[in-house]
């Protein structure tokens, strides 16, 4: 006897796929350290915390700080234990078992994972060779398949491609279903619809602090109109965001210029990494323009390169057998990566080079 649901049969714990040593350009984390002054503020507030009390169930203060940073009213903001928690919540409470959800592919690997756990039927829109999809095509497929939800990341993980805000709003306004736009990487681009989302009946924007320097505290947000926000708050577990996370998130979001400077450093690193990688572009290796905090390239040798880099102590992500996703690192990390990459190519890990 197994005692548990069939749907768990093939599941394994999430494996970030990295070793402890070496340089890590594989998880889309920020390389910018939190300034000492902010660490001290957080430390002081944590030491004054009433550890015996439950945290604020709605995270009012951290939602205010988030709203002030992104220019949305805090009443439209629901915090979560990372945006991953919010994704599971969306599938589990806004949809019902057997409902169809439209996903694009490739996109964030956790969407089909959480969708399957909620027994949602995925409908996939395959992206074209440029790793893009057409808004009208998506709208037509969503209608034809009568999906109850559309979910995609913009800019996209793992492609680093983005679709303009006007196209996203066209999708939202053309469809009679929920449209969830995961803007985990929108800090590194400028086509957000976060301010428009609460004015729509059917739109939810997801955000996270994980990519801008706070992956360790697990803090994400859903932004949506009053009605949708009320459902999420009613359905979530009451104390989903712990007190330490609320304190740290509030303190960091209040330091607007510190966050903005970190984002600028990350964008500069991403652009430098892209430029450096372009010199390897040739038949069989394509470097995609980058909107997120990482650069994606396509080569049939992606798995071999991934292995060869790993053996030199450089971790990057290999996606779907033909994409390599390299997170923008500190300048010296990028340099070490490029050196290792050049060595791997020279050694012949790039068969068609
Ligand atoms: C990293 C990532 C997330 C997860 O964010 P957490 O807040 O760390 O759970 C969500 N969506 C996309 C597209 C991501 O790449």
């Amino acid at each position: 006897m197994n005692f548990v649901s069939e749907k768990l049969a093939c599941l394994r714990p999430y494996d970030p796929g990295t070793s402890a040593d070496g340089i890590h350009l594989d998880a889309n984390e920020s390389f910018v350290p939190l300034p000492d002054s902010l660490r001290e503020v957080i430390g002081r507030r944590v030491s004054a915390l009433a550890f015996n009390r439950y945290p604020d169930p709605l995270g009012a203060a951290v939602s205010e700080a988030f709203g002030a940073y992104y220019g949305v009213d805090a009443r439209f903001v629901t915090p979560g234990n990372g945006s991953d928690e919010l994704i599971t919540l969306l599938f589990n409470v806004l949809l019902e078992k057997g409902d169809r959800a439209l996903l694009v592919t490739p996109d964030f690997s956790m969407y089909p994972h959480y969708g399957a756990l909620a027994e949602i039927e995925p409908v996939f829109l395959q992206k074209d060779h440029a790793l893009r999809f057409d808004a009208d095509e998506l709208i037509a497929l969503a209608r034809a398949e009568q999906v109850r939800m559309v979910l995609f990341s913009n800019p996209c993980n793992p492609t680093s491609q983005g679709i303009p805000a006007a196209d996203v709003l066209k999708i939202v306004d053309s469809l009679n279903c929920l449209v969830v736009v995961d803007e985990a990487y929108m800090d590194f681009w400028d086509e957000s619809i976060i301010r428009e989302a609460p004015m729509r009946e059917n739109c939810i924007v997801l955000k996270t602090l994980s990519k801008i320097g706070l992956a360790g505290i697990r803090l994400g947000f859903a932004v949506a109109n009053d009605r949708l926000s009320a459902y999420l708050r009613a359905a979530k577990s009451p104390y989903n965001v712990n007190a330490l996370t609320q304190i740290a998130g509030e303190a960091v979001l209040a330091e607007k210029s510190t966050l903005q400077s970190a984002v600028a450093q990350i964008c500069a690193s991403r652009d430098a990494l892209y430029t450096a990688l372009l010199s390897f572009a040739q038949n069989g290796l394509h470097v995609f323009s980058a909107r997120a905090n990482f650069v994606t390239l396509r080569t049939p040798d992606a798995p071999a390169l991934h292995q060869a880099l790993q053996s030199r102590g450089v971790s990057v992500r290999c996606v779907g057998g033909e994409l390599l996703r390299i997170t923008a690192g500190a300048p010296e990390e990028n340099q070490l990566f490029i050196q290792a990459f050049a060595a791997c190519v020279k050694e012949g890990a790039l068969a068609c080079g």
Side-chain angles (χ1 to χ4, degrees):
M1 270 302 279
N2 199 1
F3 302 112
V4 300
S5 160
E6 284 284 321
K7 68 190 173 193
L8 299 176
C10 304
L11 289 186
R12 298 285 175 274
Y14 182 75
D15 175 10
T18 52
S19 51
D21 303 331
I23 65 168
H24 290 279
L25 303 178
D26 58 346
N28 295 346
E29 296 150 328
S30 164
F31 65 86
V32 183
L34 210 57
D36 288 344
S37 56
L38 249 175
R39 288 172 187 272
E40 278 160 27
V41 169
I42 294 167
R44 272 201 301 279
R45 292 190 198 166
V46 167
S47 69
L49 179 67
F51 280 90
N52 56 322
R53 301 295 177 195
Y54 284 109
D56 175 2
L58 294 182
V62 73
S63 297
E64 281 290 342
F66 176 88
Y69 187 80
Y70 288 104
V72 293
D73 194 307
R75 76 175 209 268
F76 302 128
V77 177
T78 306
N81 183 354
S83 54
D84 264 83
E85 185 202 20
L86 296 167
I87 297 166
T88 63
L89 195 65
L90 298 178
F91 278 124
N92 280 290
V93 307
L94 299 182
L95 303 188
E96 283 164 76
K97 176 178 171 175
D99 281 349
R100 273 181 280 216
L102 194 156
L103 307 174
V104 296
T105 185
D107 200 351
F108 189 39
S109 61
M110 299 313 286
Y111 302 151
H113 170 83
Y114 293 131
L117 286 178
E119 299 182 63
I120 301 305
E121 293 290 334
V123 173
F124 289 104
L125 175 63
Q126 179 69 47
K127 292 184 183 175
D128 61 20
H129 195 64
L131 300 181
R132 293 169 169 275
F133 66 87
D134 178 61
D136 291 317
E137 203 183 324
L138 181 142
I139 291 165
L141 183 63
R143 285 185 181 143
E145 296 283 344
Q146 299 188 314
V147 302
R148 288 198 66 188
M149 185 168 103
V150 172
L151 166 61
F152 57 87
S153 57
N154 189 39
C156 168
N157 173 16
T159 68
S160 215
Q161 304 302 292
I163 59 171
D167 284 351
V168 177
L169 289 174
K170 181 179 182 188
I171 292 169
V172 171
D173 293 338
S174 303
L175 288 176
N176 201 11
C177 71
L178 285 171
V179 178
V180 182
V181 185
D182 183 347
E183 295 194 350
Y185 299 93
M186 193 53 90
D187 299 277
F188 314 111
W189 201 31
D190 195 18
E191 293 288 332
S192 180
I193 61 154
I194 196 167
R195 290 191 202 84
E196 279 77 20
M199 267 109 79
R200 301 299 200 279
E201 279 288 302
N202 60 330
C203 184
I204 300 174
V205 165
L206 296 177
K207 286 292 297 176
T208 176
L209 299 191
S210 294
K211 313 295 150 70
I212 55 173
L214 292 172
I217 71 169
R218 312 303 303 125
L219 185 56
F221 298 88
V223 177
N225 67 37
D226 284 312
R227 193 174 48 89
L228 290 170
S229 295
Y231 288 134
L232 294 178
R233 287 170 194 161
K236 76 180 185 67
S237 74
Y239 303 114
N240 58 328
V241 182
N242 73 75
L244 304 175
T245 293
Q246 293 192 29
I247 285 173
E250 184 192 352
V252 172
L253 285 163
E255 296 243 344
K256 197 164 182 164
S257 60
T258 303
L259 260 185
Q260 283 171 336
S261 140
V263 167
Q265 289 175 65
I266 295 165
C267 288
S269 161
R270 179 240 358 238
D271 294 342
L273 183 62
Y274 171 75
T275 306
L277 277 167
L278 268 187
S279 65
F280 297 93
Q282 53 186 297
N283 288 344
L285 189 152
H286 181 77
V287 185
F288 289 90
S289 60
R291 308 292 198 194
N293 66 341
F294 56 88
V295 180
T296 299
L297 54 86
R298 177 169 54 212
T299 160
D301 305 311
L305 275 170
H306 175 255
Q307 277 305 318
L309 285 165
Q310 192 71 66
S311 67
R312 290 172 175 271
V314 179
S315 303
V316 300
R317 188 65 66 94
C318 183
V319 183
E322 60 161 18
L323 299 180
L324 276 192
R325 193 194 71 185
I326 305 118
T327 306
E332 57 279 12
E333 290 176 319
N334 286 355
Q335 206 187 335
L336 287 169
F337 162 76
I338 289 293
Q339 278 166 11
F341 192 82
C344 294
V345 169
K346 203 170 167 199
E347 272 167 12
L350 199 62
C352 52

